[in-house]
Amino acid sequence: SSDKSVLSIQSHVTHGYVGNKAATFPLQLHGFDVDAINTVSLSNHSGYPVIKGHRMDLTEFTTLLDGLRANDFLSDYAYVLTGYINNADIIRHVAATVAEVREKRQQQGKKDIVFFCDPVMGDDGRLYCKEEVVAAYRELVAHANIVTPNYFEASILSTVEVKDLMSAIEAANWFHEQGTPTVVIKSFTMPDDPTHLRFLLSCHDKVTGSTKRYTGVVQYYEGRYTGTGDVFAASLVAFAHNHPIDLAVGKAMGVLQDLIKATVERGGSGKATLNSRELRVTSDPDRLLHPSTVISVTPLP
Ligand code: ATP
């Protein structure tokens, strides 16, 4: 079994690119085996006027895990990546799943598992999950090696309103206090710079107690794009596999810039229809591997 194997627990949509539909292709291009658990199986993402399909419950989730366990697949996962779940029972069970994989790998002398947790709950001031989901994520993040909230999710979980670099640092500190070593707050707008989005990478060393922080900016494309966080998290798993985390963040940011630019150029500008703003994930595979620019990720003093 390879060390490029990921259990990806996210949504599935028939049409468009969010969740596992957005994450699987980039990861596979990078040579990863992606074992997907589809937490929901829906016609399209929830921004559209109509949404049809099925949502998994805890029994369905544990049934799939029973199958994976019985065939002895669980110890093969070098990575667990979680995205949209929106079910507090399943979110709570993920911690046990990660612990089980960790223990099995330890017994077999394999490298420790790395758990990337994207606590998908909402964006731009709109929570699309129940309060019990928030509570479940507050506990789950303690088990994650890396969390990748957007500014809104970071604010909800930490109760620190992320509105500038200082507040982003404070919010990241909350995650460190819970036990998460690495936090990426993927984007927030700066009052004095409306043409860019800023991000924060915060790395806490539990042994020394020290925290290294980095920041940078990307060009802001007017309008809302869905699936950006999902492609980002998948790309981060892939780049962090063989790069230091700050460089991996810069590359994943670069991938998103190329992808949004490609989407805009093919008619998906800020004011276009939702459907034309579906990320063009398959349009230029080489750019997913080699972004045209690697965004600078600068250490903070
Ligand atoms: P989540 O999966 O946590 O709900 P999200 O998609 O809301 O994530 P964002 O922070 O909005 O998360 O987007 C992830 C990344 O995509 C950002 O770090 C940024 O690089 C890029 N991005 C998203 N929207 C834009 C935009 N309008 N202009 C430029 N870059 C963007």
Side-chain angles (χ1 to χ4, degrees):
S1 72
S2 96
D3 59 346
K4 293 173 84 171
S5 172
V6 49
L7 179 65
S8 181
I9 304 171
Q10 307 198 44
S11 61
H12 171 75
V13 288
T14 300
H15 179 80
Y17 292 97
V18 298
N20 275 327
K21 273 285 290 288
T24 302
F25 183 64
L27 278 164
Q28 287 177 333
L29 275 177
H30 280 273
F32 280 77
D33 291 311
V34 182
D35 283 15
I37 292 185
N38 297 325
T39 53
V40 296
S41 188
L42 301 170
S43 51
N44 43 260
H45 74 64
S46 63
Y48 291 95
V50 177
I51 176 165
K52 297 278 188 189
H54 178 77
R55 289 169 187 275
M56 188 177 248
D57 62 18
L58 181 62
T59 306
E60 291 169 275
F61 181 78
T62 56
T63 299
L64 287 184
L65 280 173
D66 288 345
L68 298 173
R69 183 183 302 106
N71 289 305
D72 208 11
F73 299 144
L74 286 181
S75 66
D76 289 344
Y77 300 125
Y79 297 94
V80 169
L81 168 63
T82 63
Y84 182 93
I85 300 176
N86 201 10
N87 177 313
D89 296 327
I90 296 177
I91 293 166
R92 280 189 288 264
H93 204 84
V94 168
T97 304
V98 170
E100 184 180 354
V101 174
R102 181 159 278 151
E103 197 187 313
K104 286 201 156 75
R105 288 179 69 84
Q106 202 169 10
Q107 283 164 2
Q108 299 179 19
K110 290 177 175 165
K111 235 177 104 200
D112 197 11
I113 191 180
V114 184
F115 172 24
F116 285 70
C117 177
D118 190 5
V120 179
M121 301 188 303
D123 39 40
D124 286 336
R126 195 175 65 96
L127 199 65
Y128 44 61
C129 68
K130 287 182 254 139
E131 189 57 39
E132 61 178 33
V133 165
V134 178
Y137 273 124
R138 287 209 177 99
E139 290 179 18
L140 183 60
V141 295
H143 303 267
N145 299 85
I146 303 193
V147 290
T148 55
N150 61 30
Y151 80 91
F152 179 66
E153 292 151 351
S155 303
I156 296 276
L157 290 171
S158 68
T159 72
V160 177
E161 191 196 343
V162 175
K163 53 183 194 312
D164 52 22
L165 192 54
M166 278 308 295
S167 51
I169 289 171
E170 258 187 78
N173 285 344
W174 177 86
F175 287 90
H176 294 324
E177 283 158 21
Q178 309 313 300
T180 323
T182 304
V183 180
V184 185
I185 301 181
K186 287 173 292 197
S187 69
F188 47 93
T189 46
M190 301 285 282
D192 56 340
D193 186 3
T195 62
H196 292 95
L197 293 173
R198 185 164 288 279
F199 59 85
L200 173 73
L201 164 65
S202 184
C203 306
H204 181 71
D205 186 324
K206 282 175 193 169
V207 178
T208 65
S210 66
T211 305
K212 273 194 82 159
R213 301 180 182 91
Y214 309 77
T215 189
V217 294
V218 296
Q219 185 194 325
Y220 173 62
Y221 287 93
E222 189 140 342
R224 287 220 28 79
Y225 295 88
T226 38
T228 50
D230 308 326
V231 175
F232 178 83
S235 302
L236 189 62
V237 170
F239 289 122
H241 180 74
N242 43 24
H243 295 292
I245 189 67
D246 53 332
L247 179 56
V249 168
K251 283 178 180 272
M253 289 287 169
V255 164
L256 264 297
Q257 285 281 294
D258 284 341
L259 197 50
I260 295 173
K261 189 159 173 280
T263 304
V264 170
E265 281 167 358
R266 285 169 177 75
S269 72
K271 288 172 187 69
T273 62
L274 263 185
N275 196 25
S276 59
R277 277 182 283 133
E278 289 281 359
L279 291 177
R280 298 297 198 272
V281 173
T282 59
S283 72
D284 196 348
D286 194 48
R287 283 282 157 265
L288 296 173
L289 294 174
H290 308 288
S292 63
T293 51
V294 176
I295 303 299
S296 305
V297 180
T298 313
L300 284 165

